[in-house]
């Protein structure tokens, strides 16, 4: 196995090996010095050890002394120098350069050995020799026969990543012992009891790496796009496909196939999950057995891109250290018959195994090849080989870091999923041939924005022409895409278009209106979008619209909130605006006419510090700056108990009588409008407010005393879940909030200094269930 261990890992290995070796030496010395009678080790050390306190402490803890570490470092350096000197004659053109440097290192080592050198000097030399060793091609470094080098090949680095050599000798996933285990059989029995739809949904988790954090949003989109969720005609009245997919997610959690990752700061609906490694291993075996996906011997989706990088068996250790030779080549004996022998890349002496190309159209080898075979026949085993063609059993392909392969049968492909590729490189003609693909996920699946994906040259215009069966198309987090082409209209069957966090995206084409079956359009975090084309209002099946831009003076071809009235199935809407005063009465009127709207998010972009990201750094270069209008905030007014000031005169306007969830970000004023009062949002169950100058949740209500009758009760909220973050102006104590929110069950309070006496935990969270049990 070939590994390229970094100098940092080498140094860490050196320290680890030094400590282990010296601990063993100390233990041996201890046992040799023990008297025949049973006595305390401590008393024995106390008698024989020097009186120096630090030395005595080192011996008690089995810690190596400076002289011991120095001696061990010298041994390691000596071994590595001799190894490099022995390998150099095999290196061809590189040997002169490396030989010169190793001679210099050898002279320095001899000098340090003769003198009473400092420990730091030896460590520096060890680092230099290690770096020199790393210049040797990987296939030669594996043939180091010393015990020290062999040990270094089988290590775990600081991040817990297991070396390729260690993985080689570990039990592989697909082995009879694991398959026949009681645990695996139990998972199989639980799997067999699932419905057909749940089985397919569960097998999708086999794509992700071990211990990966997986977004519920992604899985919901995937299941809808793959057709695992019932079609609209088969759903229960009032229930969407997304609701049904969320139910699948919850069922898999309840059945303990996946584990919820619940935020430490807030107990809300689970948005992230993971799968236990043992369950994942069993699910992968099932997925492999039913041909859901093609896997390698280590349980990872097969990296078909590696086939294009390997032309001879010698290239396998360099390009694909965990690869099996038979995965890439058919091997034949000297009689040109396929051999069943175990194929190793090195023989028992550690030398590379000779391979010869199989003659395709003749039974005879050329004279030169024949003579070579006769020459090697007496000493070494040899094989003929022929490269295999790529065969997929599942017609699903994952990008695993090596890009796309030219050998894939693109016409038969149903799914393309990006697991590991950070830089997308492909040829448009391959996509043109993908006539039957149902799902294309090229973006990032990770929730964190730290995972960045780039595309060098993505010719959309040509690539989308024939992909008219795609139902889910995702470019989430992909940079360098400034606009979608008009050919987006060719995706006639598209249900979900995911453009989230495409930070360079500036233009949505008018032809998007041709996507009559589109149910989800996500343009969140696309901060360079300046306006929406009016044709978005033609998406008659749209249920979820995220990232909608509201402009102050829309042109004739710009989509407005009023245009969205045509979207009769719209249930979830998120939007952002640069406007100073939003929403105005016309906006509220439009929102009230969206009868199916249940969830609404509003971001006032001019007030969020994160919007400096609209400057959009891409590849270290600053993108065109978005001109965000400066907003003059209304000065804070002095509140008088018993009075209520509002910024709007239209007291009957509201965001919608059926609204269940409202999320407000960077609210621009400290004066609360009438549309945000307990009386105007009776159906609201969840209220999230983050950042801005917000100061009034309805605690200041005007009471008119017309006679001696008791005053009417204050309006109260029906909200059950309340989240308040980064609000410096809002002032209230816990008793006041309970009076205003009598039905509250969950609260999150983060950096709101004027909210006092709240019984929240260290994360700023209060839950009614937790509070009642303590």
């Amino acid at each position: 196995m070939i590994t390229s261990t970094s100098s940092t890992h080498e140094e860490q290995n050196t320290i680890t090996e030094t400590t282990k070796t010296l601990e063993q030496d100390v233990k041996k010395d201890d046992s040799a010095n023990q008297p025949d009678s049973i006595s305390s080790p401590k008393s024995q050390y106390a008698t024989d050890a020097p009186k120096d306190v630090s030395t005595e402490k080192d011996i008690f803890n089995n810690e190596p002394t400076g002289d011991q570490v120095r001696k061990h470092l010298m041994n390691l350096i000596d071994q590595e120098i001799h190894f490099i000197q022995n390998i150099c004659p095999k290196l061809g053109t590189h040997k002169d350069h490396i030989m010169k440097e190793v001679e210099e290192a050898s002279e320095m080592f001899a000098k340090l050995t003769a003198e009473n050198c400092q420990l730091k000097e030896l460590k520096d030399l060890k680092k230099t020799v290690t770096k020199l060793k790393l210049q040797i091609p990987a296939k030669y470094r594996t043939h180091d026969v010393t015990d020290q080098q062999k040990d270094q090949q089988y290590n775990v680095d600081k991040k817990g990543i297991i070396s390729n050599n260690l993985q080689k000798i570990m039990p592989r996933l697909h082995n009879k012992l694991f398959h026949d285990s009681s645990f695996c059989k139990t998972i199989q029995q639980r799997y067999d009891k699932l419905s057909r739809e749940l089985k397919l949904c569960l097998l999708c988790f086999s794509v992700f790496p071990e211990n990966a954090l997986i977004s519920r949003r992604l899985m919901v989109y995937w299941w809808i796009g793959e057709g695992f969720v019932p079609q609209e005609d088969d759903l229960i009245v009032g229930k969407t496909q997304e609701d049904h997919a969320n139910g699948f997610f919850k069922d898999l959690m309840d059945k303990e196939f996946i584990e919820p990752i619940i935020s430490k700061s807030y107990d809300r609906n689970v948005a992230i999950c993971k799968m236990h490694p043992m369950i994942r291993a069993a699910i992968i075996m099932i997925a492999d057995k039913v041909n859901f996906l093609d896997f390698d011997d280590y349980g990872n989706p097969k990296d078909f891109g590696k086939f294009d990088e390997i032309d001879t068996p010698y290239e396998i250790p360099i390009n694909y250290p965990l690869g099996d030779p038979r995965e890439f080549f058919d091997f034949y004996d000297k009689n040109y018959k396929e051999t069943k022998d175990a194929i190793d890349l090195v023989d028992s002496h550690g030398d590379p195994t000779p391979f010869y190309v199989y003659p395709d159209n003749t039974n005879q080898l050329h004279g030169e090849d024949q003579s070579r075979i006769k020459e090697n026949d007496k000493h070494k085993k040899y094989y003929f080989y022929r490269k295999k063609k790529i065969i997929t059993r599942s017609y699903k392909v994952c990008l695993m870091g090596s890009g796309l392969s030219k050998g894939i049968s693109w016409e038969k492909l149903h799914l393309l999923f990006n697991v590991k590729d950070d830089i997308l490189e492909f040829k448009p003609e391959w996509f043109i041939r993908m006539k039957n693909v149902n799902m294309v996920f090229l973006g990032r699946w990770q929730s964190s924005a730290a995972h960045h994906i780039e595309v060098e040259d993505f010719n959309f215009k040509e690539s989308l022409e024939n992909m008219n069966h795609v139902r889910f198309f995702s470019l989430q987090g992909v940079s360098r895409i400034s606009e979608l082409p008009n050919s987006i209209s060719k995706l006639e069957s598209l249900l979900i278009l995911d453009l989230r966090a495409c930070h360079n995206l500036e233009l949505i084409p008018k032809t998007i209106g041709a996507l009559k079956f589109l149910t989800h359009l996500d343009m969140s975090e696309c901060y360079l979008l300046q306006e929406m084309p009016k044709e978005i209002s033609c998406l008659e099946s749209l249920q979820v619209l995220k990232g909608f831009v509201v402009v102050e003076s829309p042109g004739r071809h710009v989509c407005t909130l009023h245009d969205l009235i045509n979207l009769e199935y719209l249930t979830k809407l998120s939007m952002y605006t640069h406007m100073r005063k939003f929403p105005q009465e016309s906006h509220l009127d439009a929102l009230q006419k969206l009868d199916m709207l249940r969830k609404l998010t509003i971001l006032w972009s001019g007030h969020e510090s994160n919007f400096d990201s609209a400057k959009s750094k891409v590849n270290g270069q600053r993108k065109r700056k978005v001109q965000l209008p400066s907003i003059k905030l209304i000065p804070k007014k002095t509140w008088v108990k018993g009075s209520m000031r509002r910024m709007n005169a239209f007291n009957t306007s509201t965001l919608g009588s059926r609204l269940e969830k409202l999320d407000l970000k960077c609210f621009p004023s400290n004066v609360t409008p009438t549309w945000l009062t307990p009386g105007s949002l009776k159906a609201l169950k969840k209220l999230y407010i983050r950042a801005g100058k917000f100061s009034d949740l309805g605690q200041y209500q005007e009471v008119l005393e017309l006679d001696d009758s008791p005053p009417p009760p204050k309006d109260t909220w029906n909200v059950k879940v309340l989240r308040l973050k980064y609000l410096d102006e809002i002032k209230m104590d816990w008793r006041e909030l309970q009076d205003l929110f009598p039905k509250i069950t969950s609260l999150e309070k983060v950096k709101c200094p004027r909210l006092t006496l709240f019984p929240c935990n260290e994360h700023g969270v209060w839950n009614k269930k937790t509070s009642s049990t303590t």
Side-chain angles (χ1 to χ4, degrees):
M1 184 54 53
I2 310 302
T3 58
S4 296
T5 311
S6 66
S7 59
T8 303
H9 292 171
E10 289 280 359
E11 186 176 1
Q12 180 67 28
N13 293 337
T14 300
I15 296 172
T16 303
E17 292 165 4
T18 301
T19 303
K20 289 182 178 178
T21 304
L22 294 176
E23 285 177 356
Q24 294 173 359
D25 293 341
V26 171
K27 289 179 180 179
K28 290 179 181 178
D29 294 340
D30 293 343
S31 59
N33 292 330
Q34 288 292 335
D36 295 336
S37 60
I38 299 175
S39 61
S40 169
K42 185 172 182 180
S43 62
Q44 180 68 24
Y45 284 132
T47 303
D48 299 337
K51 295 183 179 181
D52 180 71
V53 177
S54 60
T55 305
E56 185 176 0
K57 180 180 179 182
D58 291 341
I59 295 176
F60 290 159
N61 294 323
N62 285 338
E63 294 181 359
T65 64
D67 289 338
Q68 291 172 319
V69 173
R70 183 181 291 105
K71 181 179 178 181
H72 195 72
L73 275 174
M74 286 181 176
N75 289 334
L76 293 178
I77 294 171
D78 185 54
Q79 289 176 2
E80 292 199 346
I81 288 177
H82 279 88
F83 167 71
I84 298 172
Q85 290 173 336
N86 292 334
I87 288 295
C88 275
K90 303 179 182 180
L91 301 182
T93 57
H94 299 284
K95 67 178 181 181
D96 294 337
H97 168 70
I98 295 180
M99 198 65 186
K100 180 180 178 181
E101 291 194 19
V102 76
E103 287 176 358
E104 294 176 356
S106 181
E107 292 176 2
M108 177 60 70
F109 179 60
K111 182 180 178 182
L112 293 178
T113 305
E115 301 174 355
N116 188 16
C117 62
Q118 298 293 323
L119 187 60
K120 183 180 183 301
E121 294 178 290
L122 284 175
K123 289 182 178 179
D124 291 341
L125 180 59
K126 174 63 173 67
K127 191 180 299 184
T128 300
V129 174
T130 299
K131 290 180 179 178
L132 181 59
K133 182 182 174 184
L134 290 175
Q135 296 182 38
I136 299 174
K139 63 181 179 181
Y140 295 109
R141 287 207 304 273
T142 54
H143 309 320
D144 185 356
V145 296
T146 64
D147 293 338
Q148 183 265 329
Q149 271 85 17
K150 285 182 179 180
D151 290 341
Q152 287 184 357
Q153 292 176 16
Y154 304 97
N155 60 68
V156 180
D157 65 17
K158 292 180 179 180
K159 297 181 180 180
I161 298 175
I162 301 174
S163 70
N164 290 330
N165 281 8
L166 185 55
Q167 289 191 46
K168 268 284 191 179
I169 64 175
M170 290 173 64
R172 300 196 182 189
L173 174 71
H174 302 285
N175 63 69
K176 191 173 186 302
L177 180 64
F178 179 72
H179 186 272
D180 293 340
S181 66
S182 58
F183 176 84
C184 201
K185 291 179 179 179
T186 301
I187 297 298
Q188 179 71 58
Q189 292 171 358
R190 290 169 55 191
Y191 170 84
D192 292 337
K193 294 178 181 179
L194 299 177
S195 64
R196 178 180 177 276
E197 292 80 10
L198 265 185
K199 286 179 180 178
L200 292 171
C201 293
L202 178 60
L203 295 180
C204 292
F205 288 93
S206 63
V207 168
F208 302 101
E210 187 172 299
N211 293 320
L213 300 182
I214 305 164
S215 165
R216 179 187 64 182
R217 168 183 170 274
L218 165 61
M219 304 312 294
V220 166
Y221 285 0
W222 184 345
W223 299 337
I224 293 175
E226 282 266 52
F228 300 158
V229 180
Q231 299 301 309
E232 296 290 345
D233 296 339
D234 301 325
L235 292 174
I236 302 173
V237 177
K239 196 172 185 179
T240 64
Q241 283 188 303
E242 187 170 345
D243 294 334
H244 207 97
N246 279 317
F248 284 164
F249 189 88
K250 185 177 184 301
D251 287 345
L252 293 176
M253 275 198 307
D254 293 342
K255 297 179 186 299
E256 298 183 345
F257 284 106
I258 55 177
E259 304 172 7
I261 303 298
I262 300 176
S263 171
K264 294 181 180 179
S265 62
Y266 194 67
D267 185 14
R268 57 183 183 274
N269 290 335
V270 175
I272 303 292
C273 73
K274 64 183 296 187
M275 182 174 278
H276 190 279
M278 289 289 288
I279 295 178
R280 172 183 174 270
I283 295 301
I284 287 175
M285 294 193 71
I286 296 173
D288 190 31
K289 184 168 60 177
V290 301
N291 295 337
F292 182 81
L293 200 67
D294 292 87
F295 297 93
D296 62 21
D297 289 341
Y298 297 90
N300 303 310
K302 189 169 287 187
D303 191 350
F304 289 109
K306 291 295 184 184
F307 279 78
D308 294 344
E309 299 178 7
I310 296 173
D311 291 322
T312 68
Y314 297 109
E315 296 172 327
I316 295 176
I318 300 172
N319 293 321
Y320 199 14
L322 296 181
D324 187 334
R326 291 189 183 275
E327 182 180 349
F328 301 92
F329 301 96
D330 290 316
F331 290 90
Y332 304 86
D333 60 21
K334 60 185 178 181
N335 297 317
Y336 316 128
K337 294 182 180 180
E338 190 168 351
T339 177
K340 302 299 182 183
D341 293 345
I343 304 298
D344 292 320
L345 299 175
V346 294
D347 61 19
S348 58
H349 302 289
D351 297 320
T353 304
F355 297 98
Y356 301 97
V357 178
Y358 184 80
D360 288 326
N361 300 321
T362 178
N363 291 329
Q364 297 295 327
L365 292 174
H366 296 294
E368 183 181 352
D369 292 330
Q370 188 70 41
S371 62
R372 279 200 317 227
I373 293 173
K374 290 180 179 179
E375 180 181 349
N376 287 281
D377 205 7
K378 300 177 182 179
H379 307 288
K380 299 178 181 178
K381 200 167 187 177
Y382 60 87
Y383 300 96
F384 300 109
Y385 67 88
R386 179 167 55 190
K387 191 171 183 180
K388 290 182 177 181
K389 293 182 179 180
I390 295 179
I391 299 175
T392 59
R393 297 179 299 157
S394 65
Y395 300 112
K396 295 182 176 70
V397 173
C398 293
L399 301 180
M400 298 298 296
S402 304
L404 302 172
S405 173
K406 60 187 177 184
I408 292 291
S409 300
W410 297 108
E411 291 81 2
K412 298 180 180 180
L413 196 64
H414 292 166
L415 177 145
L416 177 63
F417 191 92
N418 184 5
V419 178
K420 289 187 177 180
D421 270 19
D422 295 326
I423 300 178
L424 300 177
E425 297 179 359
F426 60 89
K427 297 180 179 179
E429 55 266 26
W430 296 346
F431 277 71
I432 293 174
R433 291 165 51 194
M434 292 166 59
K435 298 179 180 180
N436 295 298
V437 67
N438 296 322
M439 173 175 163
V440 179
F441 192 96
L442 298 176
R444 67 163 191 257
W445 56 266
Q446 297 89 345
S447 300
S448 172
H451 295 274
H452 184 67
I453 297 177
E454 295 183 5
V455 57
E456 291 294 336
D457 184 18
F458 202 170
N459 193 335
F460 274 114
K461 185 175 181 181
E462 298 178 5
S463 302
L464 305 182
E465 291 292 336
N466 298 322
M467 296 168 60
N468 52 10
H469 293 293
V470 174
R471 295 159 59 90
F472 177 23
F473 189 72
S474 175
L475 295 170
Q476 176 179 330
V478 180
S479 66
R480 294 179 179 264
I481 298 176
S482 59
E483 63 178 291
L484 295 180
N486 291 329
S487 58
I488 193 74
S489 62
K490 300 296 183 180
L491 306 182
E492 300 173 355
S493 303
L494 193 63
L495 298 178
I496 301 172
L497 179 57
D498 184 7
L499 306 173
R500 188 186 186 99
C502 290
H503 297 305
N504 295 95
L505 188 62
E506 301 179 19
L507 182 65
I508 303 294
K510 297 179 180 179
T511 53
I512 196 171
L515 304 177
K516 299 299 182 182
F517 297 104
L518 195 69
T519 59
H520 293 69
L521 175 57
D522 193 341
M523 302 172 289
S524 305
E525 301 177 41
C526 297
Y527 298 131
L528 294 184
L529 287 173
Q530 295 296 296
E531 58 187 27
M532 299 283 105
K534 192 174 271 305
E535 285 72 17
I536 285 182
S537 62
C538 299
L539 301 174
E540 55 191 37
S541 301
L542 204 62
Q543 300 172 9
V544 176
L545 176 57
K546 296 183 178 181
F548 185 80
V549 181
V550 181
V551 297
E552 190 163 8
S553 301
R556 186 172 60 179
H557 302 292
V558 175
C559 188
T560 65
L561 281 177
H562 185 77
D563 295 324
L564 298 185
I565 295 174
N566 299 326
L567 307 180
E568 57 179 315
Y569 300 109
L570 192 65
T571 60
K572 186 184 298 183
L573 173 64
S574 76
M575 53 188 170
Y576 69 93
T577 180
H578 310 318
M579 294 179 62
R580 297 183 179 183
K581 296 181 180 180
F582 177 84
Q584 298 174 355
E585 188 168 6
S586 60
H587 302 134
L588 293 170
D589 180 62
L591 289 170
Q592 288 183 77
K593 293 179 181 178
L594 295 173
D595 294 333
M596 296 293 291
L597 190 64
R598 298 292 182 270
K599 299 178 181 179
L600 177 63
T601 299
I602 305 175
L603 167 62
W604 285 266
S605 62
H607 298 276
E608 187 177 41
S609 59
N610 291 345
F611 259 74
D612 290 338
S613 64
K615 299 171 184 177
S616 188
K617 285 188 176 181
V618 181
N619 289 341
Q621 296 181 353
R622 196 175 294 275
K623 185 69 180 175
R624 174 175 63 85
K625 181 178 179 180
V626 178
Q627 296 297 329
L628 302 178
S630 60
I631 300 179
K632 184 177 180 181
L633 299 178
I634 301 175
K636 185 182 177 184
K637 300 181 179 180
T638 302
W639 291 100
V640 179
K641 189 175 182 180
S643 68
M644 180 177 66
R645 302 179 185 273
R646 302 298 176 196
M647 64 186 288
N648 296 317
F650 39 95
N651 295 323
T652 59
S653 298
T654 182
L655 295 174
S657 58
R658 298 180 179 84
L659 204 63
E660 298 175 359
K661 177 182 175 181
L662 178 61
D663 190 353
L664 305 177
K665 301 178 182 180
C666 301
F667 191 76
S669 175
N670 64 333
V671 181
T672 308
T674 54
W675 50 263
L676 187 56
T677 59
S680 61
L681 294 168
K682 290 294 187 182
L684 201 65
K685 298 295 185 292
K686 298 179 180 180
L687 177 60
Y688 304 163
I689 303 175
R690 185 185 71 180
K693 298 294 183 180
F694 193 87
S695 62
D696 179 17
L697 281 170
Q699 65 269 39
Y700 307 109
Q701 297 185 22
E702 187 176 72
V703 178
L704 299 178
E705 299 180 3
L706 300 178
D707 49 34
D708 295 334
S709 59
K714 289 184 178 181
D715 287 334
T716 58
W717 294 90
N718 292 322
V719 168
K720 294 183 178 181
V721 180
L722 179 65
R723 299 174 64 187
L724 304 172
K725 291 186 175 183
Y726 315 113
L727 300 172
D728 294 332
E729 303 296 332
I730 189 169
K731 182 179 180 181
M732 195 185 311
D733 62 27
W734 176 242
R735 180 185 55 78
E736 289 178 290
L737 186 131
Q738 282 186 307
D739 291 341
L740 198 58
F741 293 84
K743 298 182 180 180
I744 189 170
T745 58
S746 296
L747 167 73
E748 182 181 15
K749 177 183 71 71
V750 178
K751 293 189 178 180
C752 300
R754 306 183 75 180
L755 295 180
T756 57
L757 302 177
F758 278 52
C760 299
N761 62 17
E762 65 274 17
H763 301 294
V765 173
W766 172 85
N767 288 302
K768 188 173 183 179
K769 293 180 180 179
T770 306
S771 178
S772 60
T773 57
T774 55

